[in-house]
Amino acid sequence: INAEYGVVSHGAMSKLASKMKAGAAAALDRFRRRKKNPLGFASGGNAKLYSCPQETWDKFLGDIAGAKERVLLENYMFEDGRATDAVADAVSAATKGGAKVKVLTDWVGSDLTTSGQASGQAKLEAAGARFKVFNPPNTKWLETMREKAGFLFGRLGNQEPLRNKMIQAMRMSARVGMGESVFHRTHRRITVVDQDVGWVGGMAVADAWWHGDPHCSTALINGTHKVRDNMLRIDSNPMLASQLTQAFEQLWYCEPGQKQHTHYPEQAQTSAELNQLRVVPHSAQHRLFGQTLYSQIQGSSKTAWLCTPYYIPTAKLHRALRKAAKRGVDVRLVLPGYATDHPMVRFAGWHYYSKLLEAGVRVYEYQPGFMHAKAAVFDDEWVLMGSANLDRFSILTNHELAVEARIPSLNAQLTQQFKEDFGNSHEILAEEWNQRSLTSRLLEKACQQFQFGM
């Protein structure tokens, strides 16, 4: 064909075309599998929503302490304090009873290694748990800097808050300097006890989530903000426990520096009947939570109620909510009010309010404390809840995990919780929003510029 490279025969061209066609077909097949949940729906068992911190922690710790064979515990956030100490005590009881315990946490999310021998990690390991940190950096300078920071602030006296801020800043700078893969965090909350009990949701193993009093108010963030969260407990469902186990082990056996590929063999029943549920695993390679969420929003005919601590949506999600409201679905969002751990994310999220309100979406800002729950109900049957936020990190880069359930009784439990949250929230009305202050508009505009990094 070309004198410089020689003549290519017709047969060679046909062979090349066939390879290109086969490659394109394989790529299309991989794309389709990325958008389809291979895990089947499981029948049986009991699914119960836990929202009261006292009740949640009592049941959660009791399940761990009572384990006979194994405990798999994965949580994005472990922090030194009462909550981690209580988990360590429960792990100790489990291991003394013969159970094997594995604990997996995320390097960015957790702060268990900042207090030396008294750290939560040391206590968990002393209790008999095998402990791993997911996706740590392959650099030594951060630990050196952390030691220097500890020495420096030890010399300066009681400057623990400032020291923690410095350590967090070093973590962030390390993230920026180590390439894109460092943004693939495990934000999941998974607990599997024996072959029977599974927990998913948004709760962290940190004192901000620890129960503060018997009246279902949680502990405080920085002494002021209460956390509102949900956990889902499923028992007597071995198939779901197996799915959670498989999800846990995908990352447990992922070594530092290894590509974080996840693969799940396809199971038989991928459409749901009443009173069935399944795990929705999610990663940058297989964005199944986003696809499940879009499908539920598009398929809803009556209600689509969602709560999230961070609303920095993809264009597709933002558009899906508005389209649903325009076709007559009762779409509502419960978001944090003044109480939030990331004010800039809240201000950036204000950018989306105007179009939501114009489309008929009802927006609420939760008032008693920090809304950290991640859950949704659709019509009278469906529930979707787990660890994922409605932001770009969760939808595009994080490892997340949710449970999709077609269980009317669970839908009713969560619907009732939503109604309580609506009553404890301030509804943003279009007229009020259009008359918001200049300060609010400037905060929104300034923080909007950084939303692609949120």
Side-chain angles (χ1 to χ4, degrees):
I1 293 176
N2 187 299
E4 183 178 352
Y5 297 103
V7 177
V8 180
S9 68
H10 177 73
M13 286 296 294
S14 298
K15 190 175 181 180
L16 179 60
S18 297
K19 285 185 177 180
M20 291 176 65
K21 186 176 180 180
L28 180 60
D29 182 60
R30 287 194 301 271
F31 175 75
R32 286 172 174 165
R33 282 189 277 111
R34 281 179 59 182
K35 298 174 78 66
K36 179 183 177 183
N37 189 350
L39 299 181
F41 281 90
S43 301
N46 306 299
K48 182 178 178 181
L49 176 70
Y50 283 81
S51 300
C52 169
Q54 179 82 52
E55 185 183 8
T56 303
W57 280 104
D58 287 349
K59 192 67 175 177
F60 180 74
L61 295 172
D63 283 344
I64 294 173
K68 302 302 181 186
E69 299 176 12
R70 65 168 187 180
V71 177
L72 307 178
L73 174 57
E74 177 181 339
N75 201 295
Y76 171 72
M77 183 183 294
F78 278 83
E79 289 184 355
D80 294 331
R82 291 176 295 170
T84 297
D85 290 351
V87 171
D89 290 342
V91 166
S92 179
T95 56
K96 287 177 181 177
K100 296 181 179 179
V101 181
K102 296 177 180 178
V103 178
L104 179 65
T105 190
D106 188 79
W107 181 79
V108 170
S110 291
D111 278 318
L112 286 180
T113 57
T114 59
S115 304
Q117 297 300 317
S119 73
Q121 177 178 345
K123 292 177 181 178
L124 286 164
E125 290 176 332
R130 292 180 60 192
F131 189 92
K132 277 191 176 183
V133 177
F134 179 74
N135 200 16
N138 294 321
T139 56
K140 295 182 179 180
W141 71 267
L142 183 63
E143 296 304 322
T144 302
M145 290 297 292
R146 178 181 295 173
E147 292 174 5
K148 289 182 178 180
F151 173 77
L152 172 63
F153 289 108
R155 293 287 297 273
L156 292 177
N158 185 18
Q159 298 287 338
E160 188 72 14
L162 184 58
R163 173 177 173 272
N164 288 340
K165 287 182 183 297
M166 181 176 177
I167 291 169
Q168 191 64 26
M170 289 189 292
R171 286 187 175 212
M172 293 298 292
S173 65
R175 287 165 58 180
V176 171
M178 287 185 295
E180 182 182 2
S181 65
V182 79
F183 291 102
H184 295 165
R185 311 314 315 172
T186 176
H187 190 249
R188 310 185 305 184
R189 280 81 165 164
I190 304 172
T191 302
V192 186
V193 179
D194 296 334
Q195 309 292 329
D196 184 63
V197 176
W199 287 84
V200 300
M203 184 177 77
V205 184
D207 284 355
W209 279 258
W210 185 249
H211 54 80
D213 59 53
H215 302 294
C216 293
S217 65
T218 65
L220 307 181
I221 298 178
N222 299 329
T224 55
H225 302 159
K226 300 176 182 179
V227 180
R228 234 293 286 134
D229 221 325
N230 290 330
M231 290 294 286
L232 176 62
R233 181 183 186 271
I234 307 104
D235 65 25
S236 305
N237 193 320
M239 182 174 173
L240 194 91
S242 175
Q243 292 178 357
L244 291 172
T245 299
Q246 192 175 358
F248 177 91
E249 290 181 343
Q250 291 274 1
L251 297 191
W252 177 263
Y253 292 107
C254 182
E255 296 300 326
Q258 205 175 33
K259 286 190 176 181
Q260 301 153 16
H261 293 308
T262 52
H263 171 71
Y264 298 88
E266 188 161 343
Q267 298 174 350
Q269 185 184 349
T270 53
S271 61
E273 299 175 0
L274 279 179
N275 299 313
Q276 292 189 323
L277 70 171
R278 68 173 170 181
V279 165
V280 181
H282 180 92
S283 67
Q285 294 80 26
H286 301 276
R287 296 171 181 166
L288 301 180
F289 171 77
Q291 185 60 32
T292 302
L293 179 61
Y294 304 144
S295 298
Q296 288 289 355
I297 294 170
Q298 291 166 357
S300 59
S301 59
K302 298 177 184 177
T303 58
W305 294 353
L306 307 91
C307 57
T308 182
Y310 314 112
Y311 187 73
I312 306 290
T314 60
K316 185 176 180 180
L317 172 58
H318 192 52
R319 184 167 56 248
L321 291 171
R322 286 160 27 226
K323 282 185 175 180
K326 288 178 179 178
R327 68 171 188 268
V329 178
D330 179 9
V331 182
R332 306 189 191 191
L333 275 173
V334 184
L335 308 172
Y338 74 97
T340 175
D341 60 343
H342 294 297
M344 286 184 65
V345 179
R346 181 193 177 210
F347 301 149
W350 286 351
H351 168 70
Y352 301 95
Y353 281 18
S354 294
K355 287 191 175 181
L356 290 171
L357 296 170
E358 287 172 9
V361 177
R362 298 179 68 178
V363 179
Y364 296 81
E365 289 190 340
Y366 188 73
Q367 297 302 303
F370 177 31
M371 170 55 68
H372 193 261
K374 309 129 189 297
V377 292
F378 303 97
D379 297 339
D380 301 319
E381 296 180 353
W382 288 96
V383 167
L384 182 64
M385 67 175 291
S387 64
N389 302 315
L390 302 185
D391 65 8
R392 295 187 178 97
F393 272 137
S394 282
I395 294 175
L396 300 179
T397 67
N398 283 349
H399 291 276
E400 303 282 1
L401 186 135
V403 165
E404 180 186 23
R406 190 185 179 190
I407 303 178
S409 60
L410 180 61
N411 179 288
Q413 293 176 49
L414 192 51
T415 297
Q416 181 58 42
Q417 183 61 59
F418 266 107
K419 290 178 179 178
E420 293 180 17
D421 292 337
F422 296 150
N424 287 319
S425 300
H426 171 69
E427 183 172 4
I428 306 296
L429 302 177
E431 182 179 356
E432 169 196 348
W433 189 246
N434 292 335
Q435 297 176 359
R436 64 192 184 280
S437 68
L438 177 61
T439 301
S440 295
R441 293 173 188 270
L442 290 174
L443 283 171
E444 172 192 331
K445 195 69 176 176
C447 295
Q448 178 196 345
Q449 308 307 314
F450 302 98
Q451 63 178 302
F452 292 101
M454 298 177 178

